PDB file of all heavy atoms in Angstrom:
ATOM      1  N   THR A1601      26.086-109.939  94.289  1.00 98.00           N
ATOM      2  CA  THR A1601      26.043-109.373  95.542  1.00 98.00           C
ATOM      3  C   THR A1601      24.501-109.702  96.122  1.00 98.00           C
ATOM      4  O   THR A1601      23.640-109.660  95.386  1.00 98.00           O
ATOM      5  CB  THR A1601      26.144-107.825  95.563  1.00 98.00           C
ATOM      6  OG1 THR A1601      27.385-107.574  94.904  1.00 98.00           O
ATOM      7  CG2 THR A1601      26.046-107.175  96.911  1.00 98.00           C
ATOM      8  N   LEU A1602      24.494-110.083  97.332  1.00 97.00           N
ATOM      9  CA  LEU A1602      23.252-110.195  98.093  1.00 97.00           C
ATOM     10  C   LEU A1602      23.073-109.216  99.246  1.00 97.00           C
ATOM     11  O   LEU A1602      24.069-109.338 100.075  1.00 97.00           O
ATOM     12  CB  LEU A1602      23.063-111.664  98.563  1.00 97.00           C
ATOM     13  CG  LEU A1602      21.778-111.851  99.445  1.00 97.00           C
ATOM     14  CD1 LEU A1602      20.616-111.711  98.579  1.00 97.00           C
ATOM     15  CD2 LEU A1602      21.868-113.369 100.014  1.00 97.00           C
ATOM     16  N   LEU A1603      22.210-108.335  99.155  1.00 97.00           N
ATOM     17  CA  LEU A1603      22.004-107.406 100.324  1.00 97.00           C
ATOM     18  C   LEU A1603      20.803-107.968 101.232  1.00 97.00           C
ATOM     19  O   LEU A1603      19.744-108.279 100.829  1.00 97.00           O
ATOM     20  CB  LEU A1603      21.388-106.128  99.719  1.00 97.00           C
ATOM     21  CG  LEU A1603      22.473-104.885  99.783  1.00 97.00           C
ATOM     22  CD1 LEU A1603      23.636-105.226  98.963  1.00 97.00           C
ATOM     23  CD2 LEU A1603      21.778-103.617  99.284  1.00 97.00           C
ATOM     24  N   LEU A1604      21.152-108.031 102.512  1.00 96.00           N
ATOM     25  CA  LEU A1604      20.105-108.428 103.452  1.00 96.00           C
ATOM     26  C   LEU A1604      19.495-107.203 104.206  1.00 96.00           C
ATOM     27  O   LEU A1604      20.268-106.419 104.786  1.00 96.00           O
ATOM     28  CB  LEU A1604      20.810-109.345 104.499  1.00 96.00           C
ATOM     29  CG  LEU A1604      21.442-110.656 103.909  1.00 96.00           C
ATOM     30  CD1 LEU A1604      22.201-111.383 105.049  1.00 96.00           C
ATOM     31  CD2 LEU A1604      20.407-111.521 103.219  1.00 96.00           C
ATOM     32  N   SER A1605      18.226-107.147 104.023  1.00 95.00           N
ATOM     33  CA  SER A1605      17.480-106.037 104.724  1.00 95.00           C
ATOM     34  C   SER A1605      16.312-106.690 105.392  1.00 95.00           C
ATOM     35  O   SER A1605      15.125-106.527 105.046  1.00 95.00           O
ATOM     36  CB  SER A1605      17.012-105.157 103.663  1.00 95.00           C
ATOM     37  OG  SER A1605      16.375-104.022 104.265  1.00 95.00           O
ATOM     38  N   VAL A1606      16.695-107.569 106.463  1.00 92.00           N
ATOM     39  CA  VAL A1606      15.692-108.428 107.075  1.00 92.00           C
ATOM     40  C   VAL A1606      15.260-107.969 108.409  1.00 92.00           C
ATOM     41  O   VAL A1606      15.055-108.926 109.194  1.00 92.00           O
ATOM     42  CB  VAL A1606      16.283-109.833 106.909  1.00 92.00           C
ATOM     43  CG1 VAL A1606      16.157-110.328 105.444  1.00 92.00           C
ATOM     44  CG2 VAL A1606      17.647-109.968 107.419  1.00 92.00           C
ATOM     45  N   GLY A1607      15.456-106.766 108.780  1.00 89.00           N
ATOM     46  CA  GLY A1607      14.987-106.349 110.028  1.00 89.00           C
ATOM     47  C   GLY A1607      15.948-105.754 110.856  1.00 89.00           C
ATOM     48  O   GLY A1607      17.222-105.963 110.724  1.00 89.00           O
ATOM     49  N   LEU A1608      15.542-104.887 111.814  1.00 91.00           N
ATOM     50  CA  LEU A1608      16.335-104.153 112.654  1.00 91.00           C
ATOM     51  C   LEU A1608      16.035-104.559 114.112  1.00 91.00           C
ATOM     52  O   LEU A1608      14.882-105.000 114.443  1.00 91.00           O
ATOM     53  CB  LEU A1608      16.030-102.585 112.562  1.00 91.00           C
ATOM     54  CG  LEU A1608      16.278-102.089 111.073  1.00 91.00           C
ATOM     55  CD1 LEU A1608      15.671-100.689 111.086  1.00 91.00           C
ATOM     56  CD2 LEU A1608      17.821-102.024 110.855  1.00 91.00           C
ATOM     57  N   ILE A1609      17.091-104.664 114.872  1.00 93.00           N
ATOM     58  CA  ILE A1609      16.866-105.139 116.352  1.00 93.00           C
ATOM     59  C   ILE A1609      17.315-103.930 117.173  1.00 93.00           C
ATOM     60  O   ILE A1609      18.463-103.412 117.175  1.00 93.00           O
ATOM     61  CB  ILE A1609      17.834-106.258 116.669  1.00 93.00           C
ATOM     62  CG1 ILE A1609      17.732-107.381 115.568  1.00 93.00           C
ATOM     63  CG2 ILE A1609      17.535-106.835 118.007  1.00 93.00           C
ATOM     64  CD1 ILE A1609      18.694-108.413 115.617  1.00 93.00           C
ATOM     65  N   PRO A1610      16.430-103.410 118.190  1.00 96.00           N
ATOM     66  CA  PRO A1610      16.820-102.451 119.078  1.00 96.00           C
ATOM     67  C   PRO A1610      18.017-102.855 119.743  1.00 96.00           C
ATOM     68  O   PRO A1610      18.278-103.943 120.200  1.00 96.00           O
ATOM     69  CB  PRO A1610      15.605-102.331 119.968  1.00 96.00           C
ATOM     70  CG  PRO A1610      14.469-102.603 119.186  1.00 96.00           C
ATOM     71  CD  PRO A1610      14.992-103.844 118.199  1.00 96.00           C
ATOM     72  N   GLU A1611      18.900-101.841 119.829  1.00 95.00           N
ATOM     73  CA  GLU A1611      20.313-102.039 120.541  1.00 95.00           C
ATOM     74  C   GLU A1611      20.210-101.818 121.917  1.00 95.00           C
ATOM     75  O   GLU A1611      20.159-100.833 122.509  1.00 95.00           O
ATOM     76  CB  GLU A1611      21.326-101.006 119.832  1.00 95.00           C
ATOM     77  CG  GLU A1611      22.664-101.071 120.359  1.00 95.00           C
ATOM     78  CD  GLU A1611      23.639-101.461 119.276  1.00 95.00           C
ATOM     79  OE1 GLU A1611      23.277-101.236 118.068  1.00 95.00           O
ATOM     80  OE2 GLU A1611      24.640-102.000 119.595  1.00 95.00           O
ATOM     81  N   ASN A1612      20.246-103.014 122.772  1.00 97.00           N
ATOM     82  CA  ASN A1612      19.944-102.853 124.096  1.00 97.00           C
ATOM     83  C   ASN A1612      20.912-103.706 125.079  1.00 97.00           C
ATOM     84  O   ASN A1612      20.444-104.077 126.124  1.00 97.00           O
ATOM     85  CB  ASN A1612      18.426-103.237 124.394  1.00 97.00           C
ATOM     86  CG  ASN A1612      17.579-102.017 124.175  1.00 97.00           C
ATOM     87  OD1 ASN A1612      17.606-101.097 124.848  1.00 97.00           O
ATOM     88  ND2 ASN A1612      16.678-102.146 123.171  1.00 97.00           N
ATOM     89  N   GLU A1613      22.053-103.910 124.696  1.00 96.00           N
ATOM     90  CA  GLU A1613      22.965-104.555 125.459  1.00 96.00           C
ATOM     91  C   GLU A1613      23.138-103.804 126.851  1.00 96.00           C
ATOM     92  O   GLU A1613      23.150-104.340 127.948  1.00 96.00           O
ATOM     93  CB  GLU A1613      24.378-104.687 124.918  1.00 96.00           C
ATOM     94  CG  GLU A1613      24.530-105.850 123.974  1.00 96.00           C
ATOM     95  CD  GLU A1613      23.700-105.694 122.769  1.00 96.00           C
ATOM     96  OE1 GLU A1613      23.349-104.460 122.250  1.00 96.00           O
ATOM     97  OE2 GLU A1613      23.158-106.719 122.199  1.00 96.00           O
ATOM     98  N   LEU A1614      23.253-102.459 126.762  1.00 98.00           N
ATOM     99  CA  LEU A1614      23.428-101.646 128.012  1.00 98.00           C
ATOM    100  C   LEU A1614      22.156-101.867 128.918  1.00 98.00           C
ATOM    101  O   LEU A1614      22.263-101.939 130.171  1.00 98.00           O
ATOM    102  CB  LEU A1614      23.600-100.274 127.657  1.00 98.00           C
ATOM    103  CG  LEU A1614      24.919 -99.831 126.865  1.00 98.00           C
ATOM    104  CD1 LEU A1614      24.813 -98.372 126.509  1.00 98.00           C
ATOM    105  CD2 LEU A1614      26.150-100.114 127.797  1.00 98.00           C
ATOM    106  N   SER A1615      20.940-101.801 128.296  1.00 98.00           N
ATOM    107  CA  SER A1615      19.777-101.862 129.042  1.00 98.00           C
ATOM    108  C   SER A1615      19.674-103.208 129.672  1.00 98.00           C
ATOM    109  O   SER A1615      19.257-103.318 130.937  1.00 98.00           O
ATOM    110  CB  SER A1615      18.519-101.689 128.138  1.00 98.00           C
ATOM    111  OG  SER A1615      18.807-100.855 127.035  1.00 98.00           O
ATOM    112  N   ARG A1616      19.995-104.346 129.037  1.00 97.00           N
ATOM    113  CA  ARG A1616      19.919-105.674 129.568  1.00 97.00           C
ATOM    114  C   ARG A1616      20.790-105.759 130.816  1.00 97.00           C
ATOM    115  O   ARG A1616      20.418-106.309 131.880  1.00 97.00           O
ATOM    116  CB  ARG A1616      20.206-106.738 128.533  1.00 97.00           C
ATOM    117  CG  ARG A1616      19.046-107.020 127.653  1.00 97.00           C
ATOM    118  CD  ARG A1616      19.168-108.328 126.989  1.00 97.00           C
ATOM    119  NE  ARG A1616      18.088-108.446 126.070  1.00 97.00           N
ATOM    120  CZ  ARG A1616      18.085-107.865 124.843  1.00 97.00           C
ATOM    121  NH1 ARG A1616      19.185-107.303 124.395  1.00 97.00           N
ATOM    122  NH2 ARG A1616      16.963-107.908 124.045  1.00 97.00           N
ATOM    123  N   GLU A1617      22.052-105.342 130.608  1.00 97.00           N
ATOM    124  CA  GLU A1617      23.000-105.535 131.672  1.00 97.00           C
ATOM    125  C   GLU A1617      22.570-104.712 132.948  1.00 97.00           C
ATOM    126  O   GLU A1617      22.828-105.180 134.026  1.00 97.00           O
ATOM    127  CB  GLU A1617      24.343-104.900 131.225  1.00 97.00           C
ATOM    128  CG  GLU A1617      25.519-105.951 131.120  1.00 97.00           C
ATOM    129  CD  GLU A1617      26.663-105.427 130.565  1.00 97.00           C
ATOM    130  OE1 GLU A1617      27.400-104.647 131.157  1.00 97.00           O
ATOM    131  OE2 GLU A1617      26.983-105.674 129.335  1.00 97.00           O
ATOM    132  N   LEU A1618      21.881-103.677 132.648  1.00 97.00           N
ATOM    133  CA  LEU A1618      21.355-102.801 133.803  1.00 97.00           C
ATOM    134  C   LEU A1618      20.140-103.486 134.514  1.00 97.00           C
ATOM    135  O   LEU A1618      19.789-102.991 135.612  1.00 97.00           O
ATOM    136  CB  LEU A1618      20.930-101.477 133.081  1.00 97.00           C
ATOM    137  CG  LEU A1618      20.482-100.323 133.890  1.00 97.00           C
ATOM    138  CD1 LEU A1618      21.512 -99.929 134.864  1.00 97.00           C
ATOM    139  CD2 LEU A1618      20.185 -99.188 132.931  1.00 97.00           C
ATOM    140  N   GLY A1619      19.651-104.440 133.835  1.00 97.00           N
ATOM    141  CA  GLY A1619      18.390-105.117 134.386  1.00 97.00           C
ATOM    142  C   GLY A1619      17.109-104.507 134.148  1.00 97.00           C
ATOM    143  O   GLY A1619      16.100-104.744 134.858  1.00 97.00           O
ATOM    144  N   ILE A1620      17.088-103.682 133.051  1.00 98.00           N
ATOM    145  CA  ILE A1620      15.890-103.016 132.696  1.00 98.00           C
ATOM    146  C   ILE A1620      14.922-104.122 132.065  1.00 98.00           C
ATOM    147  O   ILE A1620      15.336-105.007 131.403  1.00 98.00           O
ATOM    148  CB  ILE A1620      16.187-101.928 131.649  1.00 98.00           C
ATOM    149  CG1 ILE A1620      16.611-100.689 132.392  1.00 98.00           C
ATOM    150  CG2 ILE A1620      14.955-101.669 130.751  1.00 98.00           C
ATOM    151  CD1 ILE A1620      16.980 -99.562 131.477  1.00 98.00           C
ATOM    152  N   GLU A1621      13.618-103.960 132.404  1.00 98.00           N
ATOM    153  CA  GLU A1621      12.582-104.851 131.854  1.00 98.00           C
ATOM    154  C   GLU A1621      12.537-104.703 130.378  1.00 98.00           C
ATOM    155  O   GLU A1621      12.244-103.434 129.899  1.00 98.00           O
ATOM    156  CB  GLU A1621      11.217-104.630 132.465  1.00 98.00           C
ATOM    157  CG  GLU A1621      10.100-105.621 132.128  1.00 98.00           C
ATOM    158  CD  GLU A1621       8.868-105.295 132.656  1.00 98.00           C
ATOM    159  OE1 GLU A1621       8.648-104.534 133.647  1.00 98.00           O
ATOM    160  OE2 GLU A1621       7.837-105.992 132.267  1.00 98.00           O
ATOM    161  N   ILE A1622      12.686-105.673 129.592  1.00 98.00           N
ATOM    162  CA  ILE A1622      12.554-105.611 128.079  1.00 98.00           C
ATOM    163  C   ILE A1622      11.277-106.217 127.525  1.00 98.00           C
ATOM    164  O   ILE A1622      10.814-107.315 128.083  1.00 98.00           O
ATOM    165  CB  ILE A1622      13.919-106.407 127.387  1.00 98.00           C
ATOM    166  CG1 ILE A1622      15.127-105.766 127.940  1.00 98.00           C
ATOM    167  CG2 ILE A1622      13.739-106.397 125.875  1.00 98.00           C
ATOM    168  CD1 ILE A1622      15.547-104.441 127.363  1.00 98.00           C
ATOM    169  N   ASP A1623      10.607-105.672 126.619  1.00 98.00           N
ATOM    170  CA  ASP A1623       9.346-106.197 126.020  1.00 98.00           C
ATOM    171  C   ASP A1623       9.817-107.141 124.850  1.00 98.00           C
ATOM    172  O   ASP A1623      10.459-106.723 123.995  1.00 98.00           O
ATOM    173  CB  ASP A1623       8.581-104.904 125.470  1.00 98.00           C
ATOM    174  CG  ASP A1623       7.227-105.362 124.887  1.00 98.00           C
ATOM    175  OD1 ASP A1623       7.028-106.594 124.530  1.00 98.00           O
ATOM    176  OD2 ASP A1623       6.274-104.529 124.760  1.00 98.00           O
ATOM    177  N   PRO A1624       9.416-108.460 125.134  1.00 97.00           N
ATOM    178  CA  PRO A1624       9.829-109.323 124.048  1.00 97.00           C
ATOM    179  C   PRO A1624       9.277-109.038 122.649  1.00 97.00           C
ATOM    180  O   PRO A1624       9.814-109.435 121.623  1.00 97.00           O
ATOM    181  CB  PRO A1624       9.359-110.708 124.601  1.00 97.00           C
ATOM    182  CG  PRO A1624       8.275-110.360 125.687  1.00 97.00           C
ATOM    183  CD  PRO A1624       8.627-109.052 126.110  1.00 97.00           C
ATOM    184  N   ARG A1625       8.155-108.257 122.666  1.00 97.00           N
ATOM    185  CA  ARG A1625       7.479-108.012 121.404  1.00 97.00           C
ATOM    186  C   ARG A1625       8.231-106.890 120.654  1.00 97.00           C
ATOM    187  O   ARG A1625       8.217-106.851 119.453  1.00 97.00           O
ATOM    188  CB  ARG A1625       5.965-107.508 121.601  1.00 97.00           C
ATOM    189  CG  ARG A1625       5.160-108.525 122.127  1.00 97.00           C
ATOM    190  CD  ARG A1625       3.859-107.986 122.487  1.00 97.00           C
ATOM    191  NE  ARG A1625       3.039-108.829 123.095  1.00 97.00           N
ATOM    192  CZ  ARG A1625       1.979-109.406 122.556  1.00 97.00           C
ATOM    193  NH1 ARG A1625       1.603-109.054 121.305  1.00 97.00           N
ATOM    194  NH2 ARG A1625       1.199-110.272 123.207  1.00 97.00           N
ATOM    195  N   THR A1626       8.758-105.919 121.380  1.00 97.00           N
ATOM    196  CA  THR A1626       9.529-104.774 120.584  1.00 97.00           C
ATOM    197  C   THR A1626      11.029-104.998 120.684  1.00 97.00           C
ATOM    198  O   THR A1626      11.684-104.419 119.786  1.00 97.00           O
ATOM    199  CB  THR A1626       9.322-103.516 121.406  1.00 97.00           C
ATOM    200  OG1 THR A1626       9.614-103.749 122.743  1.00 97.00           O
ATOM    201  CG2 THR A1626       7.749-103.077 121.305  1.00 97.00           C
ATOM    202  N   GLY A1627      11.587-105.753 121.584  1.00 96.00           N
ATOM    203  CA  GLY A1627      12.967-105.947 121.813  1.00 96.00           C
ATOM    204  C   GLY A1627      13.677-104.691 122.495  1.00 96.00           C
ATOM    205  O   GLY A1627      14.929-104.623 122.666  1.00 96.00           O
ATOM    206  N   GLY A1628      12.737-103.786 122.904  1.00 98.00           N
ATOM    207  CA  GLY A1628      13.377-102.584 123.697  1.00 98.00           C
ATOM    208  C   GLY A1628      12.733-102.544 125.099  1.00 98.00           C
ATOM    209  O   GLY A1628      11.873-103.327 125.400  1.00 98.00           O
ATOM    210  N   PRO A1629      13.178-101.493 125.831  1.00 98.00           N
ATOM    211  CA  PRO A1629      12.634-101.447 127.255  1.00 98.00           C
ATOM    212  C   PRO A1629      11.160-101.202 127.263  1.00 98.00           C
ATOM    213  O   PRO A1629      10.566-100.441 126.340  1.00 98.00           O
ATOM    214  CB  PRO A1629      13.301-100.169 127.747  1.00 98.00           C
ATOM    215  CG  PRO A1629      14.541-100.001 126.849  1.00 98.00           C
ATOM    216  CD  PRO A1629      14.078-100.431 125.481  1.00 98.00           C
ATOM    217  N   VAL A1630      10.606-101.651 128.271  1.00 98.00           N
ATOM    218  CA  VAL A1630       9.075-101.306 128.656  1.00 98.00           C
ATOM    219  C   VAL A1630       9.253 -99.850 129.169  1.00 98.00           C
ATOM    220  O   VAL A1630      10.042 -99.625 130.042  1.00 98.00           O
ATOM    221  CB  VAL A1630       8.495-102.200 129.587  1.00 98.00           C
ATOM    222  CG1 VAL A1630       7.343-101.772 130.241  1.00 98.00           C
ATOM    223  CG2 VAL A1630       8.480-103.719 129.156  1.00 98.00           C
ATOM    224  N   VAL A1631       8.334 -99.101 128.608  1.00 97.00           N
ATOM    225  CA  VAL A1631       8.517 -97.544 129.061  1.00 97.00           C
ATOM    226  C   VAL A1631       7.049 -97.057 129.529  1.00 97.00           C
ATOM    227  O   VAL A1631       5.990 -97.669 129.017  1.00 97.00           O
ATOM    228  CB  VAL A1631       8.879 -96.624 127.945  1.00 97.00           C
ATOM    229  CG1 VAL A1631      10.476 -96.818 127.723  1.00 97.00           C
ATOM    230  CG2 VAL A1631       8.156 -96.957 126.597  1.00 97.00           C
ATOM    231  N   THR A1632       6.965 -95.977 130.172  1.00 95.00           N
ATOM    232  CA  THR A1632       5.790 -95.223 130.583  1.00 95.00           C
ATOM    233  C   THR A1632       5.517 -94.118 129.479  1.00 95.00           C
ATOM    234  O   THR A1632       6.463 -93.935 128.615  1.00 95.00           O
ATOM    235  CB  THR A1632       5.976 -94.670 131.968  1.00 95.00           C
ATOM    236  OG1 THR A1632       6.998 -93.561 131.767  1.00 95.00           O
ATOM    237  CG2 THR A1632       6.190 -95.578 133.000  1.00 95.00           C
ATOM    238  N   ASN A1633       4.466 -93.484 129.661  1.00 94.00           N
ATOM    239  CA  ASN A1633       4.274 -92.391 128.684  1.00 94.00           C
ATOM    240  C   ASN A1633       5.226 -91.271 128.900  1.00 94.00           C
ATOM    241  O   ASN A1633       5.367 -90.352 128.015  1.00 94.00           O
ATOM    242  CB  ASN A1633       2.811 -91.860 128.672  1.00 94.00           C
ATOM    243  CG  ASN A1633       2.386 -91.558 130.064  1.00 94.00           C
ATOM    244  OD1 ASN A1633       2.680 -92.127 131.047  1.00 94.00           O
ATOM    245  ND2 ASN A1633       1.626 -90.366 130.236  1.00 94.00           N
ATOM    246  N   GLU A1634       6.019 -91.248 130.020  1.00 94.00           N
ATOM    247  CA  GLU A1634       7.177 -90.301 130.080  1.00 94.00           C
ATOM    248  C   GLU A1634       8.327 -90.873 129.496  1.00 94.00           C
ATOM    249  O   GLU A1634       9.432 -90.159 129.647  1.00 94.00           O
ATOM    250  CB  GLU A1634       7.327 -89.893 131.582  1.00 94.00           C
ATOM    251  CG  GLU A1634       6.199 -89.195 132.147  1.00 94.00           C
ATOM    252  CD  GLU A1634       5.289 -90.042 132.956  1.00 94.00           C
ATOM    253  OE1 GLU A1634       5.491 -91.202 133.037  1.00 94.00           O
ATOM    254  OE2 GLU A1634       4.335 -89.611 133.337  1.00 94.00           O
ATOM    255  N   MET A1635       8.405 -92.064 128.943  1.00 96.00           N
ATOM    256  CA  MET A1635       9.494 -92.765 128.299  1.00 96.00           C
ATOM    257  C   MET A1635      10.506 -93.146 129.409  1.00 96.00           C
ATOM    258  O   MET A1635      11.631 -93.345 129.341  1.00 96.00           O
ATOM    259  CB  MET A1635      10.173 -92.018 127.280  1.00 96.00           C
ATOM    260  CG  MET A1635       9.329 -91.538 126.084  1.00 96.00           C
ATOM    261  SD  MET A1635       8.382 -92.918 125.196  1.00 96.00           S
ATOM    262  CE  MET A1635       9.612 -93.772 124.426  1.00 96.00           C
ATOM    263  N   GLU A1636       9.901 -93.400 130.606  1.00 96.00           N
ATOM    264  CA  GLU A1636      10.713 -93.896 131.773  1.00 96.00           C
ATOM    265  C   GLU A1636      10.752 -95.401 131.711  1.00 96.00           C
ATOM    266  O   GLU A1636       9.743 -96.007 131.507  1.00 96.00           O
ATOM    267  CB  GLU A1636      10.254 -93.410 133.162  1.00 96.00           C
ATOM    268  CG  GLU A1636      11.091 -93.755 134.261  1.00 96.00           C
ATOM    269  CD  GLU A1636      10.879 -93.045 135.589  1.00 96.00           C
ATOM    270  OE1 GLU A1636       9.598 -92.804 135.764  1.00 96.00           O
ATOM    271  OE2 GLU A1636      11.755 -92.764 136.409  1.00 96.00           O
ATOM    272  N   THR A1637      11.997 -96.055 131.888  1.00 97.00           N
ATOM    273  CA  THR A1637      12.004 -97.491 131.842  1.00 97.00           C
ATOM    274  C   THR A1637      11.606 -98.043 133.251  1.00 97.00           C
ATOM    275  O   THR A1637      11.181 -97.238 134.087  1.00 97.00           O
ATOM    276  CB  THR A1637      13.484 -97.924 131.559  1.00 97.00           C
ATOM    277  OG1 THR A1637      14.223 -97.507 132.721  1.00 97.00           O
ATOM    278  CG2 THR A1637      13.969 -97.245 130.400  1.00 97.00           C
ATOM    279  N   SER A1638      11.882 -99.376 133.426  1.00 97.00           N
ATOM    280  CA  SER A1638      11.308 -99.997 134.758  1.00 97.00           C
ATOM    281  C   SER A1638      12.352 -99.435 135.813  1.00 97.00           C
ATOM    282  O   SER A1638      12.145 -99.771 137.000  1.00 97.00           O
ATOM    283  CB  SER A1638      11.343-101.435 134.585  1.00 97.00           C
ATOM    284  OG  SER A1638      12.538-101.882 134.216  1.00 97.00           O
ATOM    285  N   ILE A1639      13.461 -98.860 135.467  1.00 97.00           N
ATOM    286  CA  ILE A1639      14.371 -98.375 136.534  1.00 97.00           C
ATOM    287  C   ILE A1639      14.289 -96.817 136.653  1.00 97.00           C
ATOM    288  O   ILE A1639      14.438 -96.040 135.657  1.00 97.00           O
ATOM    289  CB  ILE A1639      15.812 -98.670 136.238  1.00 97.00           C
ATOM    290  CG1 ILE A1639      15.988-100.224 136.376  1.00 97.00           C
ATOM    291  CG2 ILE A1639      16.829 -98.066 137.162  1.00 97.00           C
ATOM    292  CD1 ILE A1639      17.392-100.731 136.121  1.00 97.00           C
ATOM    293  N   GLU A1640      13.916 -96.259 137.856  1.00 96.00           N
ATOM    294  CA  GLU A1640      13.548 -94.898 138.121  1.00 96.00           C
ATOM    295  C   GLU A1640      14.722 -94.051 137.573  1.00 96.00           C
ATOM    296  O   GLU A1640      15.931 -94.285 137.853  1.00 96.00           O
ATOM    297  CB  GLU A1640      13.494 -94.728 139.558  1.00 96.00           C
ATOM    298  CG  GLU A1640      12.391 -93.867 139.899  1.00 96.00           C
ATOM    299  CD  GLU A1640      12.401 -93.462 141.354  1.00 96.00           C
ATOM    300  OE1 GLU A1640      11.803 -94.439 142.148  1.00 96.00           O
ATOM    301  OE2 GLU A1640      13.007 -92.456 141.901  1.00 96.00           O
TER     302      GLU A1640
END
Side-chain angles (χ1 to χ4, degrees):
T1601 306
L1602 174 65
L1603 248 65
L1604 301 175
S1605 182
V1606 287
L1608 300 165
I1609 310 166
E1611 180 112 26
N1612 276 296
E1613 277 64 30
L1614 293 174
S1615 327
R1616 278 202 186 84
E1617 245 172 71
L1618 185 57
I1620 280 177
E1621 184 182 351
I1622 301 285
D1623 182 341
R1625 292 168 184 257
T1626 56
V1630 169
V1631 288
T1632 65
N1633 53 321
E1634 294 93 3
M1635 304 307 289
E1636 190 172 27
T1637 67
S1638 59
I1639 297 184
E1640 219 188 277

